[in-house]
Amino acid sequence: MAFNKIWYTVALGLLLPFSYAHTDFFTSIGHMTDLINTEKDLVVSLKDYIKAEESKLEQIKKWAEKLDQLTDTATKDPEGFLGHPVNAFKLMKRLNTEWGELESLVLKDMSDGFISNMTIQRQFFPNDEDQTGAAKALLRLQDTYNLDTDTLSRGNLPGVKHKSFLTAEDCFELGKIAYTEADYYHTELWMEQALKQLDEGEVSSADKVYILDYLSYAVYQQGDLGKAMMLTKRLLELDPEHQRANGNMKYFEYIMAKEKEANKSSTDSEDQMEKETEVKKKDYLPERRKYEMLCRGEGLKMTPRRQKRLFCRYYDGNRNPRYILGPVKQEDEWDKPRIVRFLDIISDEEIETVKELAKPRLSRATVHDPETGKLTTAHYRVSKSAWLSGYESPVVSRINTRIQDLTGLDVSTAEELQVANYGVGGQYEPHFDFARKDEPDAFKELGTGNRIATWLFYMSDVSAGGATVFPEVGASVWPKKGTAVFWYNLFPSGEGDYSTRHAACPVLVGNKWVSNKWLHERGQEFRRPTKYRSGPQLTVVLCVVFPSPSPL
C-alpha cells in the first residue's frame, strides 16, 4: 500500500495534528539476557583467579631463580661458603622458615573466590531440560524455514548482527539430543554435518567412531539398509574391534540376504522407496505445511479485486471524543476475516514500561487443556508470559482505555493484558483464541462468556521470522514495533469464526515482544457490530421489526 502518499494527502486535506526461580530459560530472550550477565560475572571471577594464580607462580618463580643462583655458588665450594657466618645463619633460616612459607604458598588454593562465586551462580544455570529445549528450538527453526544443516551450522541466517557457527561437537550434540527423542530424521542430518566438518579438517574432540555409530543406526531406523551398511563398514575401518558395529554388520548382512531371497517385485520396491522418502520428509499434516509456508512468506496472494477492498485511513473510533481531532492511522491487513492494523498506537516509552513490569513475572506460557479445563504448558506453545492489571500502572490503564476507545468494546470484562516474550525458536502453533463447542467450560471460571475479539500489540521488530499467520485463509501479518492488529473471533451470532485460526511463527533471528488483550462477550450486547454497518464497531440487532437490508 502506498501509505505515505495517502497519509500526506489526507493530512493536507484535514490539516489536523497527530496526536526468578529457574524454569525454561530458552523460551524467553528476556531471561536469557540474565544468563549473559551471569556468564560475564563468571568470566570476571575466572580472570581474577587467573591473576591470583599468575601472581602466586611469579612469586615461586622469583624464589626459585634466587635459590638456583645461590645454591649454584654454594655447591661449588660448600665449606668455603659456610665459612661465612652469615651464610650459615641464612641456610638455617631458609630451611627452617622460608621453605615452610614456600610450601604454604604452593599449597594455597587461589580458586576459593572463583569456586565460591560459581556455587552461588550455579543455582541460576540452565539444566539438561533447558539445553534439550534449545536444541529442539533449533530443529524447529530448521524445519519451519527450510534451512539445510550447513546453512544453520555456518550461521548464514538473514538479519543476524552477531554471526556464530556450530562446531562439529555442537552438531554431534544436536544429533544426540534428536536421537534421545527417537527423532532419527534430525539425528541423521546433524550427525552427517558433524562428520562433514571433521572430514573437511576441523579440529575437534568429537570422535568419528561415535558419530558413525549414531548415524548408521539412525539411517537403519529410517529404512535405508544399504546406507546403514556402508556407514558401518566405514566405522569398522576406523575401529575393527567395535563390538556393536560388528554385531550390526552381521545383522544387516542377514537382512540383506533375506531380502534378496524374497526376490521382491519392482512394484514393491518402488512402494518401499516412496515410503522411505515420506519418512525422511517427516509427514506433516496439510495444516502444518501451510503454516510453515506462511512463516516463510510463501502465503497466498490476494487477487487484484480483493486487494482493492483493502484501504488505509485515519480512524476516529466512531467519533470518539479522544480521537476526533487526532485520529489514528489504520490499515486493512486482510478482508475475510477482517484484520486491521493500527499504526503508531503504542509509544516506545509505554513499551519499555510494560516490559519492565512484565520481566520479573515472566513464566512459561500455558494453554487450556480441553480435557481437564486446567492450564498447562504445551510443546506447541513456547514462550514466556506475564499478566498486567490496569490498577497497578497508569500506563497499563491508559492502554486498556485506548483499546476500548478504538474497538468500541467494553474492556471491563476483558482478560488482563498478557505480555509475551518469544526466545530461541519461540512459537505458538495453530490455535483458536475462542472456545469451541466441545470446550463449553474453557472460560467458565471468568464468568464473562467467550473471547469475542483479540487485540495484539507488537512491541518489537523481529529480524527474521515471528509472523502471525492464519493458515485457513493464507494471511501473514508481520511484526512491526509500535503497531497493533485487531480481529473478531466470533460472528455477531456468537458462533466461532474458524477462519481466525492462527499461529505465532518461530522467531528465527531476533527478539519478539508482544502483548495482547482478549475481549469477552459480556458487556458487548449493545456494542458489537452487525454486518450492516461499516467500521470495526457496530451494534448488535436484538430484534427486527421491519425487513432488514440485503447483506453487503
Side-chain angles (χ1 to χ4, degrees):
M1 235 176 276
F3 220 117
N4 291 335
K5 292 182 180 178
I6 297 174
W7 249 209
Y8 182 67
T9 304
V10 176
L12 286 177
L14 295 175
L15 295 176
L16 294 174
F18 290 106
S19 49
Y20 263 177
H22 163 81
T23 174
D24 303 315
F25 278 110
F26 73 96
T27 60
S28 167
I29 293 293
H31 280 165
M32 289 182 74
T33 54
D34 294 337
L35 294 182
I36 291 290
N37 295 327
T38 297
E39 190 170 44
K40 176 64 177 176
D41 181 58
L42 286 174
V43 170
V44 171
S45 180
L46 180 61
K47 290 173 77 174
D48 289 341
Y49 161 65
I50 292 170
K51 285 180 182 178
E53 287 285 6
E54 287 175 340
S55 176
K56 169 183 163 181
L57 288 172
E58 189 62 31
Q59 292 180 60
I60 295 170
K61 183 180 177 182
K62 287 179 180 179
W63 173 260
E65 288 173 349
K66 182 180 76 171
L67 283 183
D68 183 47
Q69 194 173 26
L70 185 65
T71 54
D72 187 54
T73 302
T75 53
K76 287 178 181 177
D77 182 12
E79 290 186 7
F81 181 81
L82 291 174
H84 196 302
V86 173
N87 287 339
F89 167 74
K90 292 185 74 172
L91 176 62
M92 294 302 106
K93 178 176 176 288
R94 282 197 304 273
L95 291 174
N96 182 54
T97 305
E98 294 180 15
W99 275 101
E101 291 173 352
L102 179 65
E103 181 183 24
S104 297
L105 179 61
V106 171
L107 293 175
K108 185 178 181 181
D109 190 352
M110 311 303 291
S111 66
D112 287 348
F114 174 67
I115 296 300
S116 177
N117 193 26
M118 274 281 289
T119 303
I120 294 170
Q121 300 288 8
R122 189 177 294 279
Q123 61 183 314
F124 304 113
F125 280 15
N127 58 21
D128 290 343
E129 185 181 351
D130 286 308
Q131 183 175 337
T132 300
K136 287 181 179 179
L138 276 177
L139 303 183
R140 186 160 56 243
L141 291 173
Q142 182 179 15
D143 288 343
T144 303
Y145 296 104
N146 269 350
L147 302 172
D148 62 78
T149 50
D150 196 62
T151 296
L152 203 50
S153 178
R154 307 301 179 189
N156 297 323
L157 302 177
V160 293
K161 292 181 180 178
H162 309 285
K163 189 173 180 180
S164 185
F165 62 91
L166 296 171
T167 63
E169 190 177 0
D170 293 331
C171 296
F172 178 51
E173 189 63 32
L174 280 170
K176 281 201 299 182
I177 289 173
Y179 180 86
T180 59
E181 299 289 319
D183 180 358
Y184 301 115
Y185 169 74
H186 285 111
T187 303
E188 178 185 359
L189 291 180
W190 285 102
M191 291 299 175
E192 283 186 337
Q193 182 64 27
L195 200 59
K196 175 186 175 184
Q197 291 180 203
L198 290 178
D199 288 342
E200 289 174 350
E202 181 180 320
V203 178
S204 173
S205 60
D207 191 325
K208 285 186 180 181
V209 170
Y210 285 113
I211 294 171
L212 286 164
D213 194 12
Y214 280 100
L215 180 56
S216 59
Y217 185 76
V219 168
Y220 165 69
Q221 284 292 332
Q222 294 180 89
D224 194 339
L225 185 59
K227 185 176 178 180
M229 288 183 68
M230 181 269 290
L231 292 166
T232 306
K233 285 178 182 178
R234 183 177 175 186
L235 190 163
L236 289 171
E237 288 173 3
L238 297 173
D239 184 3
E241 303 302 319
H242 197 285
Q243 187 175 355
R244 185 166 48 252
N246 278 299
N248 286 346
M249 196 65 191
K250 291 177 182 177
Y251 178 71
F252 293 157
E253 288 171 347
Y254 169 74
I255 296 296
M256 187 73 79
K258 282 192 69 176
E259 287 184 356
K260 286 181 179 178
E261 288 173 10
N263 193 20
K264 289 185 176 181
S265 66
S266 58
T267 303
D268 287 344
S269 298
E270 289 172 5
D271 290 344
Q272 179 66 16
M273 287 177 65
E274 288 177 5
K275 184 179 178 181
E276 291 169 4
T277 302
E278 284 302 309
V279 170
K280 208 170 180 71
K281 287 182 179 178
K282 294 182 71 68
D283 188 21
Y284 291 124
L285 295 173
E287 181 183 62
R288 178 74 185 186
R289 287 198 288 268
K290 285 187 204 173
Y291 159 60
E292 292 181 347
M293 286 179 64
L294 289 168
C295 290
R296 295 192 295 269
E298 301 170 6
L300 297 175
K301 303 300 179 186
M302 277 192 177
T303 62
R305 184 176 179 181
R306 286 179 66 189
Q307 187 72 35
K308 288 179 181 179
R309 296 175 186 168
L310 304 183
F311 295 95
C312 52
R313 64 188 71 80
Y314 278 114
Y315 182 67
D316 62 9
N318 279 349
R319 305 293 293 171
N320 186 289
R322 291 188 179 91
Y323 296 99
I324 290 177
L325 294 179
V328 297
K329 303 172 187 176
Q330 186 191 74
E331 66 180 10
D332 297 328
E333 285 281 350
W334 204 257
D335 55 352
K336 293 180 182 180
R338 189 178 181 216
I339 306 168
V340 295
R341 188 194 293 263
F342 294 86
L343 285 76
D344 303 322
I345 203 63
I346 184 171
S347 68
D348 289 348
E349 292 76 14
E350 289 172 326
I351 287 172
E352 289 308 309
T353 299
V354 169
K355 285 166 63 175
E356 289 307 311
L357 287 170
K359 280 178 182 178
R361 311 182 202 175
L362 288 173
S363 60
R364 180 70 184 267
T366 56
V367 296
H368 278 278
D369 187 327
E371 294 183 4
T372 65
K374 296 180 179 179
L375 292 173
T376 181
T377 59
H379 69 88
Y380 56 83
R381 187 179 191 184
V382 184
S383 66
K384 285 197 170 182
S385 64
W387 299 85
L388 303 180
S389 299
Y391 64 80
E392 61 186 298
S393 167
V395 171
V396 178
S397 178
R398 187 164 66 244
I399 287 171
N400 288 341
T401 301
R402 189 176 306 154
I403 294 171
Q404 177 164 297
D405 289 342
L406 293 173
T407 62
L409 298 176
D410 188 350
V411 297
S412 66
T413 58
E415 295 174 49
E416 294 178 342
L417 187 72
Q418 185 188 49
V419 183
N421 181 217
Y422 293 83
V424 180
Q427 64 162 4
Y428 192 177
E429 290 184 6
H431 62 282
F432 299 102
D433 280 350
F434 64 89
R436 274 77 66 212
K437 290 180 179 179
D438 59 347
E439 303 174 303
D441 298 330
F443 305 114
K444 186 177 180 180
E445 71 278 9
L446 298 178
T448 53
N450 211 343
R451 287 174 175 167
I452 192 173
T454 297
W455 177 286
L456 177 65
F457 284 112
Y458 292 113
M459 302 198 301
S460 66
D461 292 314
V462 180
S463 299
T468 306
V469 299
F470 295 74
E472 292 295 314
V473 297
S476 297
V477 180
W478 298 91
K480 185 177 179 183
K481 187 178 181 181
T483 70
V485 290
F486 173 78
W487 67 86
Y488 280 103
N489 297 306
L490 306 179
F491 290 114
S493 64
E495 292 291 316
D497 183 352
Y498 284 80
S499 68
T500 61
R501 185 169 174 83
H502 60 286
C505 296
V507 176
L508 179 57
V509 178
N511 184 13
K512 182 181 177 183
W513 284 90
V514 298
S515 57
N516 60 274
K517 194 80 171 173
W518 282 306
L519 300 112
H520 283 249
E521 290 178 294
R522 298 294 177 266
Q524 320 304 345
E525 290 81 2
F526 296 97
R527 293 171 176 261
R528 175 70 207 269
T530 65
K531 55 187 175 181
Y532 304 122
R533 289 178 54 193
S534 60
Q537 298 81 37
L538 303 174
T539 307
V540 170
V541 176
L542 297 178
C543 60
V544 179
V545 178
F546 300 102
S548 60
S550 301
L552 296 178

